[in-house]
Amino acid sequence: MVDFTKIPITELFGSNCFSNAVMYKRLPKNIYKAIVAVQNEEQELTLEVAEVVAAAMRDWAISKGASHYTHWFHPLTGLTAEKHDAFIAPTSDGQIIMEFSGKELIKGEPDASSFPSGGLRATFEARGYTAWDVTSPAFLKQDATGTTLCIPTAFISYYGQALDKKVPLLKSIEALNKQAIRVLRALGNETAKRVIPTVGPEQEYFLIDREYYNKRPDLILTGRTVFGSMPAKGQELEDHYFGAIKERVADFMRELNTELWKVGIAAKTQHNEVAPNQFEIAPVFATTTIAVDANQLVMETLKNVARRKGMEALLHEKPFAGVNGSGKHNNWSLATDDGTNLFEPGANPESNARFLLFATAVVEAIDRYALLIRASAATAANDHRLGANEAPPAIVSIFFGGPLTELFEDIATGKSLHHTDSNGTIGLGVTSLPSLPKDVSDRNRTSPFAFTGNKFEFRMVGSSQSIATPNTYLNTAVAQVLSEFADKLEHAQDKNQAIQAIIKESYSAHRRVVFNGNGYTDEWVKEAEIRGLPNVRNAVDALAVLVQEETIKLFETHKVLTREESESRYHIYLEKYARQVNIEAGVTVDLAQRYIFPAATRYAKNLAKSASALSGLGVKNTAQVEQAKHIAELTAELFKKTEELSQVLTKAQDIENVIERAKAYCTTVCPAMNAVRSQGDALEKLVAKDLWPLPGYDELLFKL
Ligand code: ADP
Ligand code: MG
């Protein structure tokens, strides 16, 4: 464990990260300038610059003990991938030198044939290319293989199609920048050069003792328990959230923070979450690509450190039925390169107008593209949260809180606002905005998309997901609305009038998506239906929007995804859904047949035997007889339901068409799996603990 009195955190932080600060120190000034210009999309990367950076990167990495480098990328699996190469190059006299060229920095050629491509890459053309993403810093990974220099990259096919989650993300950032700058210029801002989406993801996870984990094939193979009955205590005492952190967990968190700080991730907040043994970690926000890469590293580090500490970190959206699942709150905002947060309500008429205009754009984007926003969080695992018996609901709505909503309503109805600015400033006649509740307790925690004072918190995202896709969709949706706003503003004679008209028109048309009440209630489900808001309860239906003409056009317009790329993603995500459920169903059948059925049978037999022995002695034990019968009945029912599951599973597996196959998994396999589970869970409550073959929720959730 690092002793912070010997190595101060300020020194430790970023020591394994080739950040701009390190580049500033290690690169000639002109090269450093060039790299920053490339990061800001002001100029193209040249091989000359890459050569110098590569040499500096190599020297830095080697000085830290690195033997290998890897292009680190985000294939469509949602995970990260890496293929390691040693720096070594043999010399003619049988020795080696440590080499790393500019070419090796900017381009890699991993064999791409085993990554999902959704038909984008012809099988004979297995080559894929990785290309250096200059917007996210290289870092060192230290593990049993030694120290490896990891270079964040984008992953594309031989024909230039995006095979990963990074390329579309970068394009969406660019699209959003372009349209936001247009709006700012139209508002008279001449100083901002770029608008950058910023992201701070809060990551939820569970920790469990590894000994129990190792005895749960369902956790090992699927990340969630497919059986498990609730113990006498769940989360009802509300004693875990923000509670004192247990010693063992504190020790884990300390090491986790240390590891993250080393690679330059500003892990800041940590606390106990709502469910027992559930926790959260949140870093300070960063630009989107850095935040996306960092979050992948956070997930990986969570897993690694937990293992080192004899625990397992569960990132699954719903590892345990009956207690809260885990999400990832994607805090999102827009900042200018000169330091203005566009969602920070200001103190003067000018910034107020800007704030209201950009906030209106988000309202419109969330309403118009609600299906897309929903689809960005659509996975088999997240179905257990969204639209199930847990929040946030699958209905996309946006929270603003009372005062702001009133202000929007006033503008929409033309009330109370007069157009008074005569001195040429841009304004709405609103000199100060109502102060917004920044206090945590005042916030609405049930909204899937909540305004929290100076940013939006998108809460539908699943805990195990890459945040690249949610941010890509969000950026693109907002870019589209901003482009329409810019069209109007650029042609307006009277900007003040135009701003007011845009907000009025847009908000009036999309106010239905604003909801400040409790999003977890049945009333909201009914109310949302009356408002005409979509409520898509499963991932398979949700993903369909990806191939709707409007979506394809949206992504094409902003050059984020081509038609082909959109279609391929639809197929990949459906395939992933089907495979995930297929594994879960397989594990369910296996546990039912080889674990639960034998255990229950043994116990029923024990009871019957004991009853008959007692009866031979002239003692009548009806309790044992009744219990044996009851267990035998439940076991028979378990057997029957398992047979039924096996049948629908085989049928689903045989379906050729991926859309139909995913649907079959969703509508037939999932319910059949639940039916088996009910029987298994009922048996768990009755069968003797010493005969039950799986650690129970009491151990998994409460022992650490
Ligand atoms: P809460 O749990 O109340 O939502 P936290 O402090 O746990 O609050 O998390 C807030 C998150 O929002 C942090 O990750 C923080 O970095 C992030 N955040 C704050 N400001 C911004 C911003 N301008 N853009 C993006 N994310 C932000
Ligand atoms: Mg939060």
Side-chain angles (χ1 to χ4, degrees), residues 10-40:
T10 44
E11 239 170 70
L12 181 88
F13 188 85
S15 54
N16 283 347
C17 177
F18 197 69
S19 60
N20 276 18
V22 177
M23 285 203 268
Y24 182 77
K25 267 195 223 136
R26 289 181 167 258
L27 294 174
K29 291 284 155 299
N30 61 327
I31 301 290
Y32 176 75
K33 264 196 188 156
I35 277 295
V36 173
V38 177
Q39 286 173 342
N40 293 337

PDB file of all heavy atoms in Angstrom, residues 10-40:
ATOM      1  N   THR A  10      -0.299  14.305  -4.714  1.00  0.00           N
ATOM      2  CA  THR A  10      -0.036  15.206  -5.848  1.00  0.00           C
ATOM      3  C   THR A  10       1.077  14.660  -6.748  1.00  0.00           C
ATOM      4  O   THR A  10       1.094  14.917  -7.944  1.00  0.00           O
ATOM      5  CB  THR A  10       0.391  16.596  -5.342  1.00  0.00           C
ATOM      6  OG1 THR A  10       1.338  16.414  -4.284  1.00  0.00           O
ATOM      7  CG2 THR A  10      -0.797  17.389  -4.844  1.00  0.00           C
ATOM      8  N   GLU A  11       1.992  13.918  -6.162  1.00  0.00           N
ATOM      9  CA  GLU A  11       3.081  13.349  -6.952  1.00  0.00           C
ATOM     10  C   GLU A  11       2.648  12.045  -7.619  1.00  0.00           C
ATOM     11  O   GLU A  11       2.992  11.752  -8.753  1.00  0.00           O
ATOM     12  CB  GLU A  11       4.261  13.032  -6.028  1.00  0.00           C
ATOM     13  CG  GLU A  11       5.535  13.739  -6.402  1.00  0.00           C
ATOM     14  CD  GLU A  11       6.559  13.549  -5.304  1.00  0.00           C
ATOM     15  OE1 GLU A  11       7.046  12.413  -5.137  1.00  0.00           O
ATOM     16  OE2 GLU A  11       6.821  14.552  -4.589  1.00  0.00           O
ATOM     17  N   LEU A  12       1.882  11.287  -6.853  1.00  0.00           N
ATOM     18  CA  LEU A  12       1.394  10.007  -7.356  1.00  0.00           C
ATOM     19  C   LEU A  12       0.461  10.209  -8.546  1.00  0.00           C
ATOM     20  O   LEU A  12       0.506   9.475  -9.534  1.00  0.00           O
ATOM     21  CB  LEU A  12       0.630   9.306  -6.218  1.00  0.00           C
ATOM     22  CG  LEU A  12       0.051   7.947  -6.531  1.00  0.00           C
ATOM     23  CD1 LEU A  12       1.092   6.880  -6.246  1.00  0.00           C
ATOM     24  CD2 LEU A  12      -1.206   7.695  -5.721  1.00  0.00           C
ATOM     25  N   PHE A  13      -0.361  11.259  -8.441  1.00  0.00           N
ATOM     26  CA  PHE A  13      -1.398  11.480  -9.455  1.00  0.00           C
ATOM     27  C   PHE A  13      -0.784  11.657 -10.847  1.00  0.00           C
ATOM     28  O   PHE A  13       0.095  12.479 -11.058  1.00  0.00           O
ATOM     29  CB  PHE A  13      -2.252  12.713  -9.108  1.00  0.00           C
ATOM     30  CG  PHE A  13      -3.433  12.850 -10.019  1.00  0.00           C
ATOM     31  CD1 PHE A  13      -4.612  12.159  -9.757  1.00  0.00           C
ATOM     32  CD2 PHE A  13      -3.359  13.618 -11.170  1.00  0.00           C
ATOM     33  CE1 PHE A  13      -5.699  12.247 -10.623  1.00  0.00           C
ATOM     34  CE2 PHE A  13      -4.439  13.710 -12.041  1.00  0.00           C
ATOM     35  CZ  PHE A  13      -5.610  13.025 -11.760  1.00  0.00           C
ATOM     36  N   GLY A  14      -1.261  10.837 -11.761  1.00  0.00           N
ATOM     37  CA  GLY A  14      -0.813  10.962 -13.140  1.00  0.00           C
ATOM     38  C   GLY A  14       0.585  10.431 -13.400  1.00  0.00           C
ATOM     39  O   GLY A  14       1.116  10.591 -14.499  1.00  0.00           O
ATOM     40  N   SER A  15       1.198   9.776 -12.387  1.00  0.00           N
ATOM     41  CA  SER A  15       2.568   9.314 -12.601  1.00  0.00           C
ATOM     42  C   SER A  15       2.635   8.239 -13.686  1.00  0.00           C
ATOM     43  O   SER A  15       3.683   8.020 -14.286  1.00  0.00           O
ATOM     44  CB  SER A  15       3.177   8.807 -11.286  1.00  0.00           C
ATOM     45  OG  SER A  15       2.347   7.820 -10.711  1.00  0.00           O
ATOM     46  N   ASN A  16       1.526   7.582 -13.959  1.00  0.00           N
ATOM     47  CA  ASN A  16       1.493   6.589 -15.041  1.00  0.00           C
ATOM     48  C   ASN A  16       0.679   7.065 -16.241  1.00  0.00           C
ATOM     49  O   ASN A  16       0.101   6.266 -16.974  1.00  0.00           O
ATOM     50  CB  ASN A  16       0.922   5.269 -14.531  1.00  0.00           C
ATOM     51  CG  ASN A  16       1.950   4.497 -13.723  1.00  0.00           C
ATOM     52  OD1 ASN A  16       3.138   4.821 -13.745  1.00  0.00           O
ATOM     53  ND2 ASN A  16       1.494   3.481 -13.012  1.00  0.00           N
ATOM     54  N   CYS A  17       0.610   8.364 -16.415  1.00  0.00           N
ATOM     55  CA  CYS A  17      -0.202   8.914 -17.502  1.00  0.00           C
ATOM     56  C   CYS A  17       0.632   9.877 -18.336  1.00  0.00           C
ATOM     57  O   CYS A  17       1.267  10.788 -17.803  1.00  0.00           O
ATOM     58  CB  CYS A  17      -1.400   9.641 -16.885  1.00  0.00           C
ATOM     59  SG  CYS A  17      -2.450  10.437 -18.088  1.00  0.00           S
ATOM     60  N   PHE A  18       0.624   9.652 -19.640  1.00  0.00           N
ATOM     61  CA  PHE A  18       1.376  10.533 -20.544  1.00  0.00           C
ATOM     62  C   PHE A  18       0.477  11.718 -20.896  1.00  0.00           C
ATOM     63  O   PHE A  18      -0.026  11.855 -22.008  1.00  0.00           O
ATOM     64  CB  PHE A  18       1.786   9.745 -21.793  1.00  0.00           C
ATOM     65  CG  PHE A  18       2.889  10.397 -22.589  1.00  0.00           C
ATOM     66  CD1 PHE A  18       4.179  10.471 -22.084  1.00  0.00           C
ATOM     67  CD2 PHE A  18       2.644  10.917 -23.851  1.00  0.00           C
ATOM     68  CE1 PHE A  18       5.200  11.063 -22.822  1.00  0.00           C
ATOM     69  CE2 PHE A  18       3.656  11.507 -24.597  1.00  0.00           C
ATOM     70  CZ  PHE A  18       4.939  11.581 -24.078  1.00  0.00           C
ATOM     71  N   SER A  19       0.259  12.539 -19.887  1.00  0.00           N
ATOM     72  CA  SER A  19      -0.700  13.640 -20.019  1.00  0.00           C
ATOM     73  C   SER A  19      -0.095  14.800 -20.792  1.00  0.00           C
ATOM     74  O   SER A  19       1.091  14.792 -21.128  1.00  0.00           O
ATOM     75  CB  SER A  19      -1.073  14.131 -18.625  1.00  0.00           C
ATOM     76  OG  SER A  19       0.107  14.586 -17.980  1.00  0.00           O
ATOM     77  N   ASN A  20      -0.904  15.810 -21.036  1.00  0.00           N
ATOM     78  CA  ASN A  20      -0.385  17.007 -21.697  1.00  0.00           C
ATOM     79  C   ASN A  20       0.735  17.636 -20.869  1.00  0.00           C
ATOM     80  O   ASN A  20       1.691  18.168 -21.413  1.00  0.00           O
ATOM     81  CB  ASN A  20      -1.509  18.008 -21.940  1.00  0.00           C
ATOM     82  CG  ASN A  20      -2.250  17.687 -23.231  1.00  0.00           C
ATOM     83  OD1 ASN A  20      -2.159  16.572 -23.756  1.00  0.00           O
ATOM     84  ND2 ASN A  20      -2.973  18.662 -23.756  1.00  0.00           N
ATOM     85  N   ALA A  21       0.597  17.541 -19.543  1.00  0.00           N
ATOM     86  CA  ALA A  21       1.643  18.116 -18.690  1.00  0.00           C
ATOM     87  C   ALA A  21       2.980  17.403 -18.930  1.00  0.00           C
ATOM     88  O   ALA A  21       4.027  18.044 -19.022  1.00  0.00           O
ATOM     89  CB  ALA A  21       1.237  18.003 -17.224  1.00  0.00           C
ATOM     90  N   VAL A  22       2.936  16.082 -19.056  1.00  0.00           N
ATOM     91  CA  VAL A  22       4.165  15.322 -19.318  1.00  0.00           C
ATOM     92  C   VAL A  22       4.691  15.656 -20.715  1.00  0.00           C
ATOM     93  O   VAL A  22       5.893  15.842 -20.915  1.00  0.00           O
ATOM     94  CB  VAL A  22       3.904  13.797 -19.180  1.00  0.00           C
ATOM     95  CG1 VAL A  22       5.156  13.000 -19.533  1.00  0.00           C
ATOM     96  CG2 VAL A  22       3.434  13.461 -17.773  1.00  0.00           C
ATOM     97  N   MET A  23       3.773  15.757 -21.672  1.00  0.00           N
ATOM     98  CA  MET A  23       4.202  16.086 -23.043  1.00  0.00           C
ATOM     99  C   MET A  23       4.846  17.465 -23.075  1.00  0.00           C
ATOM    100  O   MET A  23       5.839  17.682 -23.763  1.00  0.00           O
ATOM    101  CB  MET A  23       3.005  16.026 -23.994  1.00  0.00           C
ATOM    102  CG  MET A  23       2.591  14.607 -24.324  1.00  0.00           C
ATOM    103  SD  MET A  23       1.683  14.496 -25.869  1.00  0.00           S
ATOM    104  CE  MET A  23       0.023  14.651 -25.267  1.00  0.00           C
ATOM    105  N   TYR A  24       4.254  18.381 -22.310  1.00  0.00           N
ATOM    106  CA  TYR A  24       4.792  19.741 -22.272  1.00  0.00           C
ATOM    107  C   TYR A  24       6.245  19.719 -21.809  1.00  0.00           C
ATOM    108  O   TYR A  24       7.094  20.431 -22.333  1.00  0.00           O
ATOM    109  CB  TYR A  24       3.935  20.601 -21.337  1.00  0.00           C
ATOM    110  CG  TYR A  24       4.369  22.037 -21.259  1.00  0.00           C
ATOM    111  CD1 TYR A  24       4.055  22.931 -22.290  1.00  0.00           C
ATOM    112  CD2 TYR A  24       5.096  22.508 -20.168  1.00  0.00           C
ATOM    113  CE1 TYR A  24       4.468  24.251 -22.234  1.00  0.00           C
ATOM    114  CE2 TYR A  24       5.514  23.823 -20.101  1.00  0.00           C
ATOM    115  CZ  TYR A  24       5.199  24.698 -21.142  1.00  0.00           C
ATOM    116  OH  TYR A  24       5.614  25.996 -21.080  1.00  0.00           O
ATOM    117  N   LYS A  25       6.504  18.859 -20.818  1.00  0.00           N
ATOM    118  CA  LYS A  25       7.868  18.768 -20.278  1.00  0.00           C
ATOM    119  C   LYS A  25       8.810  18.055 -21.232  1.00  0.00           C
ATOM    120  O   LYS A  25       9.976  18.393 -21.337  1.00  0.00           O
ATOM    121  CB  LYS A  25       7.839  17.985 -18.954  1.00  0.00           C
ATOM    122  CG  LYS A  25       7.713  18.893 -17.745  1.00  0.00           C
ATOM    123  CD  LYS A  25       8.060  18.118 -16.478  1.00  0.00           C
ATOM    124  CE  LYS A  25       7.056  18.448 -15.387  1.00  0.00           C
ATOM    125  NZ  LYS A  25       6.599  17.294 -14.647  1.00  0.00           N
ATOM    126  N   ARG A  26       8.312  17.032 -21.923  1.00  0.00           N
ATOM    127  CA  ARG A  26       9.198  16.155 -22.673  1.00  0.00           C
ATOM    128  C   ARG A  26       9.307  16.449 -24.173  1.00  0.00           C
ATOM    129  O   ARG A  26      10.162  15.866 -24.843  1.00  0.00           O
ATOM    130  CB  ARG A  26       8.760  14.700 -22.478  1.00  0.00           C
ATOM    131  CG  ARG A  26       9.061  14.188 -21.071  1.00  0.00           C
ATOM    132  CD  ARG A  26       8.647  12.745 -20.913  1.00  0.00           C
ATOM    133  NE  ARG A  26       9.209  12.181 -19.701  1.00  0.00           N
ATOM    134  CZ  ARG A  26      10.271  11.369 -19.669  1.00  0.00           C
ATOM    135  NH1 ARG A  26      10.870  11.000 -20.777  1.00  0.00           N
ATOM    136  NH2 ARG A  26      10.718  10.909 -18.513  1.00  0.00           N
ATOM    137  N   LEU A  27       8.423  17.298 -24.679  1.00  0.00           N
ATOM    138  CA  LEU A  27       8.445  17.549 -26.128  1.00  0.00           C
ATOM    139  C   LEU A  27       9.023  18.933 -26.431  1.00  0.00           C
ATOM    140  O   LEU A  27       8.842  19.862 -25.643  1.00  0.00           O
ATOM    141  CB  LEU A  27       7.025  17.473 -26.692  1.00  0.00           C
ATOM    142  CG  LEU A  27       6.322  16.122 -26.666  1.00  0.00           C
ATOM    143  CD1 LEU A  27       4.881  16.272 -27.137  1.00  0.00           C
ATOM    144  CD2 LEU A  27       7.057  15.114 -27.535  1.00  0.00           C
ATOM    145  N   PRO A  28       9.661  19.068 -27.595  1.00  0.00           N
ATOM    146  CA  PRO A  28      10.046  20.415 -28.037  1.00  0.00           C
ATOM    147  C   PRO A  28       8.782  21.278 -28.147  1.00  0.00           C
ATOM    148  O   PRO A  28       7.710  20.751 -28.481  1.00  0.00           O
ATOM    149  CB  PRO A  28      10.640  20.179 -29.433  1.00  0.00           C
ATOM    150  CG  PRO A  28      10.948  18.724 -29.506  1.00  0.00           C
ATOM    151  CD  PRO A  28      10.035  18.021 -28.558  1.00  0.00           C
ATOM    152  N   LYS A  29       8.911  22.557 -27.887  1.00  0.00           N
ATOM    153  CA  LYS A  29       7.739  23.433 -27.831  1.00  0.00           C
ATOM    154  C   LYS A  29       6.867  23.364 -29.090  1.00  0.00           C
ATOM    155  O   LYS A  29       5.638  23.307 -29.010  1.00  0.00           O
ATOM    156  CB  LYS A  29       8.165  24.891 -27.598  1.00  0.00           C
ATOM    157  CG  LYS A  29       8.748  25.155 -26.216  1.00  0.00           C
ATOM    158  CD  LYS A  29       7.680  25.230 -25.137  1.00  0.00           C
ATOM    159  CE  LYS A  29       8.172  24.900 -23.749  1.00  0.00           C
ATOM    160  NZ  LYS A  29       8.727  23.578 -23.463  1.00  0.00           N
ATOM    161  N   ASN A  30       7.523  23.373 -30.263  1.00  0.00           N
ATOM    162  CA  ASN A  30       6.727  23.387 -31.503  1.00  0.00           C
ATOM    163  C   ASN A  30       5.929  22.087 -31.666  1.00  0.00           C
ATOM    164  O   ASN A  30       4.807  22.091 -32.161  1.00  0.00           O
ATOM    165  CB  ASN A  30       7.619  23.650 -32.718  1.00  0.00           C
ATOM    166  CG  ASN A  30       8.663  22.570 -32.892  1.00  0.00           C
ATOM    167  OD1 ASN A  30       9.155  21.994 -31.905  1.00  0.00           O
ATOM    168  ND2 ASN A  30       9.006  22.265 -34.139  1.00  0.00           N
ATOM    169  N   ILE A  31       6.504  20.978 -31.204  1.00  0.00           N
ATOM    170  CA  ILE A  31       5.810  19.692 -31.318  1.00  0.00           C
ATOM    171  C   ILE A  31       4.634  19.654 -30.332  1.00  0.00           C
ATOM    172  O   ILE A  31       3.530  19.206 -30.667  1.00  0.00           O
ATOM    173  CB  ILE A  31       6.774  18.516 -31.040  1.00  0.00           C
ATOM    174  CG1 ILE A  31       7.954  18.534 -32.024  1.00  0.00           C
ATOM    175  CG2 ILE A  31       6.046  17.178 -31.080  1.00  0.00           C
ATOM    176  CD1 ILE A  31       7.604  18.184 -33.449  1.00  0.00           C
ATOM    177  N   TYR A  32       4.885  20.159 -29.140  1.00  0.00           N
ATOM    178  CA  TYR A  32       3.800  20.200 -28.151  1.00  0.00           C
ATOM    179  C   TYR A  32       2.632  21.026 -28.688  1.00  0.00           C
ATOM    180  O   TYR A  32       1.478  20.612 -28.634  1.00  0.00           O
ATOM    181  CB  TYR A  32       4.290  20.780 -26.822  1.00  0.00           C
ATOM    182  CG  TYR A  32       3.170  20.915 -25.808  1.00  0.00           C
ATOM    183  CD1 TYR A  32       2.657  19.790 -25.151  1.00  0.00           C
ATOM    184  CD2 TYR A  32       2.603  22.159 -25.537  1.00  0.00           C
ATOM    185  CE1 TYR A  32       1.615  19.909 -24.246  1.00  0.00           C
ATOM    186  CE2 TYR A  32       1.551  22.277 -24.630  1.00  0.00           C
ATOM    187  CZ  TYR A  32       1.064  21.163 -23.985  1.00  0.00           C
ATOM    188  OH  TYR A  32       0.021  21.269 -23.102  1.00  0.00           O
ATOM    189  N   LYS A  33       2.964  22.167 -29.252  1.00  0.00           N
ATOM    190  CA  LYS A  33       1.933  23.048 -29.819  1.00  0.00           C
ATOM    191  C   LYS A  33       1.152  22.324 -30.902  1.00  0.00           C
ATOM    192  O   LYS A  33      -0.065  22.419 -31.001  1.00  0.00           O
ATOM    193  CB  LYS A  33       2.586  24.295 -30.424  1.00  0.00           C
ATOM    194  CG  LYS A  33       2.594  25.473 -29.494  1.00  0.00           C
ATOM    195  CD  LYS A  33       2.885  26.716 -30.315  1.00  0.00           C
ATOM    196  CE  LYS A  33       3.093  27.919 -29.422  1.00  0.00           C
ATOM    197  NZ  LYS A  33       3.889  28.943 -30.095  1.00  0.00           N
ATOM    198  N   ALA A  34       1.900  21.595 -31.740  1.00  0.00           N
ATOM    199  CA  ALA A  34       1.255  20.876 -32.841  1.00  0.00           C
ATOM    200  C   ALA A  34       0.276  19.835 -32.300  1.00  0.00           C
ATOM    201  O   ALA A  34      -0.836  19.684 -32.814  1.00  0.00           O
ATOM    202  CB  ALA A  34       2.313  20.212 -33.720  1.00  0.00           C
ATOM    203  N   ILE A  35       0.680  19.128 -31.250  1.00  0.00           N
ATOM    204  CA  ILE A  35      -0.191  18.089 -30.686  1.00  0.00           C
ATOM    205  C   ILE A  35      -1.472  18.707 -30.107  1.00  0.00           C
ATOM    206  O   ILE A  35      -2.576  18.207 -30.323  1.00  0.00           O
ATOM    207  CB  ILE A  35       0.577  17.288 -29.601  1.00  0.00           C
ATOM    208  CG1 ILE A  35       1.409  16.205 -30.277  1.00  0.00           C
ATOM    209  CG2 ILE A  35      -0.342  16.650 -28.580  1.00  0.00           C
ATOM    210  CD1 ILE A  35       0.603  15.132 -30.998  1.00  0.00           C
ATOM    211  N   VAL A  36      -1.320  19.829 -29.417  1.00  0.00           N
ATOM    212  CA  VAL A  36      -2.505  20.486 -28.875  1.00  0.00           C
ATOM    213  C   VAL A  36      -3.423  20.936 -30.010  1.00  0.00           C
ATOM    214  O   VAL A  36      -4.652  20.793 -29.944  1.00  0.00           O
ATOM    215  CB  VAL A  36      -2.108  21.672 -27.954  1.00  0.00           C
ATOM    216  CG1 VAL A  36      -3.337  22.456 -27.520  1.00  0.00           C
ATOM    217  CG2 VAL A  36      -1.360  21.146 -26.733  1.00  0.00           C
ATOM    218  N   ALA A  37      -2.825  21.421 -31.085  1.00  0.00           N
ATOM    219  CA  ALA A  37      -3.633  21.837 -32.234  1.00  0.00           C
ATOM    220  C   ALA A  37      -4.362  20.643 -32.847  1.00  0.00           C
ATOM    221  O   ALA A  37      -5.516  20.751 -33.272  1.00  0.00           O
ATOM    222  CB  ALA A  37      -2.748  22.514 -33.273  1.00  0.00           C
ATOM    223  N   VAL A  38      -3.712  19.491 -32.858  1.00  0.00           N
ATOM    224  CA  VAL A  38      -4.370  18.281 -33.385  1.00  0.00           C
ATOM    225  C   VAL A  38      -5.517  17.882 -32.445  1.00  0.00           C
ATOM    226  O   VAL A  38      -6.620  17.548 -32.884  1.00  0.00           O
ATOM    227  CB  VAL A  38      -3.372  17.108 -33.545  1.00  0.00           C
ATOM    228  CG1 VAL A  38      -4.094  15.848 -34.013  1.00  0.00           C
ATOM    229  CG2 VAL A  38      -2.269  17.471 -34.523  1.00  0.00           C
ATOM    230  N   GLN A  39      -5.262  17.962 -31.151  1.00  0.00           N
ATOM    231  CA  GLN A  39      -6.313  17.631 -30.170  1.00  0.00           C
ATOM    232  C   GLN A  39      -7.538  18.528 -30.376  1.00  0.00           C
ATOM    233  O   GLN A  39      -8.666  18.087 -30.245  1.00  0.00           O
ATOM    234  CB  GLN A  39      -5.797  17.829 -28.735  1.00  0.00           C
ATOM    235  CG  GLN A  39      -4.835  16.755 -28.278  1.00  0.00           C
ATOM    236  CD  GLN A  39      -4.205  17.064 -26.919  1.00  0.00           C
ATOM    237  OE1 GLN A  39      -4.220  18.196 -26.452  1.00  0.00           O
ATOM    238  NE2 GLN A  39      -3.641  16.046 -26.287  1.00  0.00           N
ATOM    239  N   ASN A  40      -7.294  19.779 -30.721  1.00  0.00           N
ATOM    240  CA  ASN A  40      -8.393  20.723 -30.908  1.00  0.00           C
ATOM    241  C   ASN A  40      -8.934  20.727 -32.326  1.00  0.00           C
ATOM    242  O   ASN A  40      -9.698  21.609 -32.702  1.00  0.00           O
ATOM    243  CB  ASN A  40      -7.944  22.134 -30.531  1.00  0.00           C
ATOM    244  CG  ASN A  40      -7.669  22.251 -29.044  1.00  0.00           C
ATOM    245  OD1 ASN A  40      -8.187  21.460 -28.254  1.00  0.00           O
ATOM    246  ND2 ASN A  40      -6.851  23.208 -28.666  1.00  0.00           N
TER     247      ASN A  40
END
